[in-house]
C-alpha cells in the first residue's frame, strides 16, 4: 500500500541545494512553490493546499502561523529519486517527503498521479509543525492522513476503513492507543499503524463534541506547555474506554 509511503518526519539535515527544482517559483500565503516545470499559480491543487491552512486551523482550533513551507516539485519520478538519493541517501523509497531542518520546513514530491494526496499529506505536516513542536509521531501521521483525503471526503479515509475492517474480520484486530504512543520512528510504522492513527483522529474530530474538545485541549497543551503527556491519559481521565469504543466505531463504518 502506498499511502504509508508518502512519509515524513523531522530529520536534522543541512538544507539541500544543487539539483533542487527551482527554475519556477511562486508564493501563495504561507506556501512557497518551486518546480522544474511551469506550475499555474491558480492551479486547483495549489488553491486547495493554500486553503488547507485555514481548514486545518479551524478543525484543530490552532492559530495560523506565518512560517514559510517550501514545496519543491519535481517533474519526473526519476529527477525526484536522483535528488533524494544524493541528498538524503538514508531515506527509504517514497513518493514524497516532509523534512523539518533547523532552518526550514520543506516538502519534496514529484508531479505524478498521486501528487494531490501526497501534497495534502506532506503540506499538512508543514502546517502542523509550524504551529506545534513535539507532536507525537502517531498523531502527526494520523492528522496528515486525515488531511490527505480530498475535500469532498471530509476526512473519511475509505482505504483505511476497508483495511481496518478486514483486520477486524480476519485477525480479530483491536485498536491500542498506548501501543501507537510508543512508536518513535516512521520506519517502525506499518500501513495498519497509519490506518489506526487516522481512525483515532477521525473518531476524535468527527463523532462527538466532547471528543473533539479532548483533541483540541491536547493540541493546545502541546502548543503552549510543550507537554509530553500522552493523549491516552486525557481519554482515560474522562472515563472513556477508548480502545473498545474505537473498535465499535470502526465496525459502525461498515455501512
Ligand atoms: Zn506523514
Amino acid at each position: 500500500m502506498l499511502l504509508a509511503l508518502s512519509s515524513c518526519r523531522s530529520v536534522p539535515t543541512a538544507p539541500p541545494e544543487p539539483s533542487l527544482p527551482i527554475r519556477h517559483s511562486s508564493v501563495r500565503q504561507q506556501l512557497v512553490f518551486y518546480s522544474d516545470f511551469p506550475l499555474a499559480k491558480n492551479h486547483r491543487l495549489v488553491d486547495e493546499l493554500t486553503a488547507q491552512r485555514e481548514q486545518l486551523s479551524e478543525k484543530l482550533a490552532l492559530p495560523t502561523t506565518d512560517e514559510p513551507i517550501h514545496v519543491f516539485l519535481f517533474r519526473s519520478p526519476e529527477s525526484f529519486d536522483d535528488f533524494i538519493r544524493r541528498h538524503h541517501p538514508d531515506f527509504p523509497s517514497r513518493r514524497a517527503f516532509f523534512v523539518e531542518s533547523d532552518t526550514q520546513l520543506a516538502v519534496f514530491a514529484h508531479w505524478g498521479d498521486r501528487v494531490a494526496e501526497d501534497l495534502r499529506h506532506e503540506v499538512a505536516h508543514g502546517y502542523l509543525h509550524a504551529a506545534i513542536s513535539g507532536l507525537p509521531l502517531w498523531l502527526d501521521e494520523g492528522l496528515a492522513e486525515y488531511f490527505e483525503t480530498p475535500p469532498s471526503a471530509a476526512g473519511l479515509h475509505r482505504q483505511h476503513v476497508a483495511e481496518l475492517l478486514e483486520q477486524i474480520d480476519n485477525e480479530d484486530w483491536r485498536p491500542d492507543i498506548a501501543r501507537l504512543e510508543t512508536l518513535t520512528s516512521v520506519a517502525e510504522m506499518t500501513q495498519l499503524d497509519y490506518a489506526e492513527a487516522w481512525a483515532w483522529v477521525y473518531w476524535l474530530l468527527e463523532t462527538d463534541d466532547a471528543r473533539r474538545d479532548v483533541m483540541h485541549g491536547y493540541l493546545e497543551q502541546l502548543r503552549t506547555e510543550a507537554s509530553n503527556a500522552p493523549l491516552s491519559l486525557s481519554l482515560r481521565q474522562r472515563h472513556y474506554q477508548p480502545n473498545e469504543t474505537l473498535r465499535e466505531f470502526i465496525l459502525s463504518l461498515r455501512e
Side-chain angles (χ1 to χ4, degrees):
M1 294 292 294
L2 293 171
L3 295 177
L5 302 183
S6 58
S7 199
C8 29
R9 195 53 187 165
S10 311
V11 178
T13 176
E17 262 98 35
S19 49
L20 278 169
I22 53 175
R23 192 176 316 150
H24 305 270
S25 66
S26 62
V27 178
R28 285 290 300 272
Q29 292 185 5
Q30 199 168 352
L31 303 178
V32 188
F33 291 92
Y34 306 87
S35 55
D36 54 7
F37 58 93
L39 175 66
K41 192 166 182 180
N42 293 314
H43 190 287
R44 183 165 41 163
L45 179 55
V46 171
D47 288 345
E48 208 178 87
L49 296 168
T50 308
Q52 194 188 59
R53 178 175 186 251
E54 286 292 335
Q55 287 158 0
L56 187 143
S57 163
E58 277 176 32
K59 184 58 79 174
L60 303 182
L62 288 171
T64 54
T65 68
D66 294 321
E67 182 173 1
I69 300 164
H70 301 271
V71 182
F72 296 98
L73 298 172
F74 296 77
R75 183 203 309 264
S76 70
E78 291 78 17
S79 55
F80 169 78
D81 288 341
D82 285 349
F83 174 84
I84 295 297
R85 264 201 305 273
R86 186 184 308 176
H87 294 279
H88 301 286
D90 52 328
F91 282 11
S93 175
R94 296 190 176 167
R95 292 197 313 267
F97 292 94
F98 167 71
V99 176
E100 178 179 0
S101 71
D102 292 343
T103 55
Q104 195 181 61
L105 302 174
V107 169
F108 304 89
H110 74 263
W111 196 260
D113 294 344
R114 309 278 292 274
V115 69
E117 169 191 325
D118 291 347
L119 286 182
R120 286 192 294 258
H121 181 109
E122 306 301 344
V123 168
H125 279 306
Y127 288 129
L128 287 166
H129 283 234
I132 300 175
S133 57
L135 201 55
L137 172 66
W138 77 270
L139 184 55
D140 195 9
E141 293 304 336
L143 287 165
E145 294 288 311
Y146 175 93
F147 285 103
E148 82 174 26
T149 62
S152 59
L156 184 65
H157 204 305
R158 295 183 186 281
Q159 287 159 282
H160 286 336
V161 173
E163 164 142 30
L164 293 166
L165 286 171
E166 191 184 318
Q167 287 290 324
I168 290 174
D169 290 346
N170 297 339
E171 310 289 338
D172 193 25
W173 175 82
R174 286 161 195 282
D176 184 351
I177 190 170
R179 187 192 63 82
L180 279 187
E181 286 169 341
T182 65
L183 299 173
T184 55
S185 151
V186 167
E188 291 177 75
M189 288 188 70
T190 64
Q191 178 64 21
L192 183 59
D193 293 333
Y194 277 87
E196 182 182 353
W198 164 82
W200 284 110
V201 166
Y202 188 83
W203 175 74
L204 283 161
L205 289 176
E206 299 295 342
T207 59
D208 179 291
D209 287 350
R211 289 176 196 146
R212 189 162 56 225
D213 289 346
V214 170
M215 175 71 98
H216 289 175
Y218 184 69
L219 294 175
E220 184 64 9
Q221 190 182 325
L222 286 177
R223 192 178 73 81
T224 58
E225 300 169 24
S227 156
N228 60 1
L231 180 59
S232 57
L233 183 64
S234 305
L235 290 172
R236 279 204 305 275
Q237 284 167 347
R238 286 160 181 79
H239 312 291
Y240 291 127
Q241 292 193 307
N243 293 326
E244 290 74 10
T245 315
L246 182 69
R247 189 173 191 270
E248 283 164 24
F249 172 68
I250 294 168
L251 287 168
S252 79
L253 293 173
R254 199 184 291 279
E255 287 80 40

